[in-house]
Each structure stands twice: as C-alpha cells, then as structure tokens.
Amino acid sequence: MSRLPFLALLVVPAAFLGTRSPKPLIVHEWGTITTHHRPNGAVVGGLNRIDSKEVLPDFVVRYEPEVTRSADRLLKTPSGPGRADITMRLETPVIYFHVPEGTRFAPFNLDVDFRGGVLNEFYPTAKASLAMDAQRLNDIQKAGPNKWDGITFNSAVKGSLHWEGITLKDSVALLATNNHTWLAPRKVNSSGVQLFPTQSERYLFYRGVAHLDALMQTEFTSAGLTLRSPSDLSWMPKASMQIPRAWVMDVRADGTAAFREMRNIDISRNSPSCDLATAAPFTPADYTPTKLTELRATMRSTLIASGLNVDEAEAMFETWRESWLTAPGTRVLYMVPTEWTNYYLPMRVSIPAEITRVMVGRIDILAR
C-alpha cells in the first residue's frame, strides 16, 4: 500500500481514563439505500454504475468476488452499463462509537452481513466474503447454485464483513482527502477508531450493491404518485408495521421544489403489493424556493427523533445534500424501519452495546 499524507490528529474528548465498566458501548449508524424506478413502477438495474463524483478515495478497500467475465463485476464504477441484476445501492453506512464517561473498552470485533447483496467497499480493512444463504434460497423458492458462481446475483446472495480488534482512542490520525462524501461524516464528536498502525478514522465505513427491491413500489397514475407495499414481506417479524415518514418531492432545474410528507404508512405482511398511499400531483403553486429548506428541517428533526445525535444528523444531510435535495428530478425519501435493516443488514458487536441504526430510503423516479 502506498504511503499517504496524514492530516493533523483528530482530537476527541477523553473517555478512556476510567476503569472498566459494565456500561455498554454506544453505537450509532446511518446510511441510505437507493433504488431507481421508471414512471410505471418498473425497477431499474445497473446501479453499480455511478457518477464520477461518487467514486471514493483511493485508500478505501475494494473487494471483488471472483467472476469469470468483466461484465459480471460487482464493484461500483463510473464506466460501463452496470449489471442489470443490481437493483439497489447501499450507500455510505457509517458507524460511530460513543464511550460513556469513565469507561474504557478492550479491543472488540464487529460483523455486518448483507442479505441479497455484497459489501465491497469499506475502511478500515475488514475480512470480506460472499456466500449463498441456504435459508433464503429456500424462502424465495428459486432454483440455482448453492454457492457463488460469479454469475447468479439474487436475493439469496449474502455478503459479510468482519472487523477484528477495533480499538477506540482519544485521538487518531486521519488520511488526507478532499472527497466530500468522506469528509462530511467526519464532522461528528465521536471516538477515534484504530485497527492498524496506518489505518484509523472517525468511523467505520462500508457500502455495497444488492439484488433487492425498495420498501415501496411506485407508479404514476392520474391520481398522483401511488406508493405500494413490496411483494416480498418476509423480513417483517410481525403481522404489521409502519414506515414512519415518507416524502414525495420534485426539484426543478431553477432550484424551486415541491414536496408532500406522509406519516405512519401502515404495511401488512398479509397484503403484499397493496396500495399504501397516494401523493396528489403537484401544482405550479406548490413550487417555491423555500420548500427545500422546509424539507431539510422536517427530515432533520425526524433523524434526530430516530436516535441520531444532532451532529450525526447534520453530517448525514451534508453528505447527501446534493443527491437528496438539489439534484433536479422526482424522488421518494423514506425512513427505513429498523426491522428491515436488522433483517437485511444484521450487525453484531462482540461486547455489550446499545445500537441505534437510522437508514433513509431513496427512490429516484426516472424522467417520464
């Protein structure tokens, strides 16, 4: 690995001067899941094709499972058409650690799986793997290989990351970068993370791609944009649950925007693909220059109410400000229920921990 310049030491409040304590480690995570739909609701693939400005710094570790053809590669890239069976991007999940005052922790491990996807970009270094989930193969009742063959990419694929020996420190050195996606999450008052003498950061980072659907289907009708429950609700642990908030929005090239907020959208496990809500069409009067400020305020308060600290919510917004709020187009933003996150993206920490996970779903509706 080439030697890279370092910034000044990251300094955080001392939290490791006390003795060992039964107080649990505080773990906060935020991230996004992105899907693309056509106006008629058809799901769009090829989502490992990304914009050049979404490429991560060179020091981020890339993992590419073995494939036989270059067209089958799973890594995100700004070139090529992308794989048609990649229908979801898992973007910038970052994991922060907060140590209770007077507490210190010995090095610990953290694992994350991605059912239906591969975790193929991360930092610091983790052990990455890809396998087939036998139970999921049975659940979806699809014939196919029982191990990764480099070609078949379906919701039974399961990627995994294992970080071993995570050490939390008062201060750590940060690699130099001008990448906005990387810098914005650093603006959080959290413990420094050290895994190797040359690998340290303010957070654990990972992202990936998947063959999964959004939590809501969409379709433009004469009544507006209709939201429907997904066809696969096997992830639901109970008969019913709610998507607490969703925002249907449209941004024009001149910066004006319109949005509608929907609350407590009920989903029933016994009613897949049923209508959940409809956002009425926007009228010219709905578009104003202040709507994006209003949307940011209501989303920010929702992120904080969901368990993020104020600076974590701000960092999430700053990371995604352009693609969420300023990029022209129609999209749906929604709060992902924790049940979905824990099913498709289970996390395990080797020491007692209080874990808060906040995910935002984003559905870009392609131009009609």
Side-chain angles (χ1 to χ4, degrees):
M1 180 180 293
S2 61
R3 298 182 64 86
L4 294 167
F6 282 79
L7 297 177
L9 288 180
L10 158 67
V11 178
V12 298
F16 310 98
L17 301 179
T19 58
R20 294 183 184 274
S21 167
K23 294 179 181 178
L25 177 66
I26 306 301
V27 181
H28 286 186
E29 178 189 42
W30 57 255
T32 66
I33 56 174
T34 296
T35 51
H36 291 179
H37 294 180
R38 300 197 185 282
N40 65 359
V43 175
V44 179
L47 265 63
N48 58 324
R49 168 71 185 269
I50 60 175
D51 190 276
S52 59
K53 61 188 176 185
E54 296 177 298
V55 176
L56 296 174
D58 290 340
F59 59 78
V60 173
V61 183
R62 273 80 174 177
Y63 164 67
E64 179 69 78
E66 183 177 351
V67 296
T68 56
R69 305 174 302 177
S70 60
D72 293 329
R73 288 172 59 86
L74 299 171
L75 280 173
K76 296 177 182 177
T77 173
S79 61
R83 286 184 60 139
D85 50 8
I86 292 179
T87 55
M88 176 181 288
R89 285 200 298 262
L90 175 67
E91 301 185 290
T92 60
V94 294
I95 304 172
Y96 298 106
F97 301 100
H98 301 280
V99 178
E101 185 176 356
T103 304
R104 63 187 178 92
F105 296 100
F108 59 93
N109 306 332
L110 188 146
D111 294 84
V112 179
D113 298 329
F114 193 14
R115 289 179 166 177
V118 58
L119 300 170
N120 53 3
E121 292 176 297
F122 43 90
Y123 188 83
T125 296
K127 180 181 179 181
S129 60
L130 187 67
M132 301 298 285
D133 187 324
Q135 181 60 50
R136 182 64 180 168
L137 276 172
N138 181 66
D139 289 346
I140 62 177
Q141 298 179 333
K142 284 187 176 179
N146 58 11
K147 64 179 181 178
W148 170 247
D149 63 358
I151 299 174
T152 304
F153 195 64
N154 58 31
S155 62
V157 170
K158 184 175 73 173
S160 300
L161 290 178
H162 172 73
W163 281 280
E164 185 164 358
I166 299 169
T167 300
L168 303 181
K169 304 184 69 175
D170 293 352
S171 61
V172 294
L174 300 176
L175 288 170
T177 179
N178 60 4
N179 186 288
H180 175 76
T181 300
W182 201 264
L183 291 175
R186 281 181 176 173
K187 298 177 181 179
V188 168
N189 183 21
S190 60
S191 300
V193 177
Q194 182 92 46
L195 266 87
F196 302 95
T198 59
Q199 292 194 7
S200 52
E201 203 20 284
R202 175 69 61 87
Y203 47 79
L204 293 184
F205 169 92
Y206 64 100
R207 73 180 190 181
V209 294
H211 181 76
L212 293 173
D213 292 334
L215 272 76
M216 293 184 288
Q217 302 177 60
T218 62
E219 183 182 8
F220 275 109
T221 67
S222 58
L225 182 63
T226 296
L227 306 178
R228 298 189 178 97
S229 59
S231 58
D232 182 2
L233 295 171
S234 59
W235 53 271
M236 289 179 57
K238 298 182 293 186
S240 62
M241 50 148 290
Q242 291 183 332
I243 294 176
R245 294 286 190 280
W247 300 269
V248 176
M249 59 182 296
D250 186 66
V251 180
R252 289 174 167 173
D254 63 4
T256 60
F259 76 90
R260 304 200 190 285
E261 182 181 49
M262 289 163 282
R263 302 188 176 203
N264 300 328
I265 301 173
D266 294 316
I267 296 181
S268 171
R269 190 170 56 194
N270 297 323
S271 302
S273 302
C274 73
D275 289 1
L276 301 175
T278 297
F282 296 119
T283 67
D286 291 323
Y287 291 85
T288 71
T290 63
K291 276 296 192 292
L292 293 179
T293 301
E294 296 173 24
L295 177 57
R296 177 174 180 134
T298 186
M299 287 195 68
R300 178 182 180 276
S301 64
T302 300
L303 294 175
I304 295 170
S306 299
L308 293 183
N309 294 343
V310 172
D311 57 357
E312 293 167 339
E314 291 290 350
M316 185 177 192
F317 246 108
E318 183 58 28
T319 301
W320 291 107
R321 170 171 43 82
E322 181 176 350
S323 59
W324 279 4
L325 300 184
T326 62
T330 301
R331 64 187 59 92
V332 181
L333 301 176
Y334 60 94
M335 300 303 298
V336 177
T338 303
E339 293 91 338
W340 187 98
T341 304
N342 289 339
Y343 179 86
Y344 281 108
L345 204 65
M347 177 192 296
R348 299 172 298 282
V349 182
S350 65
I351 60 175
E354 292 182 0
I355 301 173
T356 298
R357 314 182 76 186
V358 179
M359 296 284 172
V360 173
R362 168 179 146 210
I363 304 172
D364 284 354
I365 311 295
L366 302 190
R368 285 178 282 183

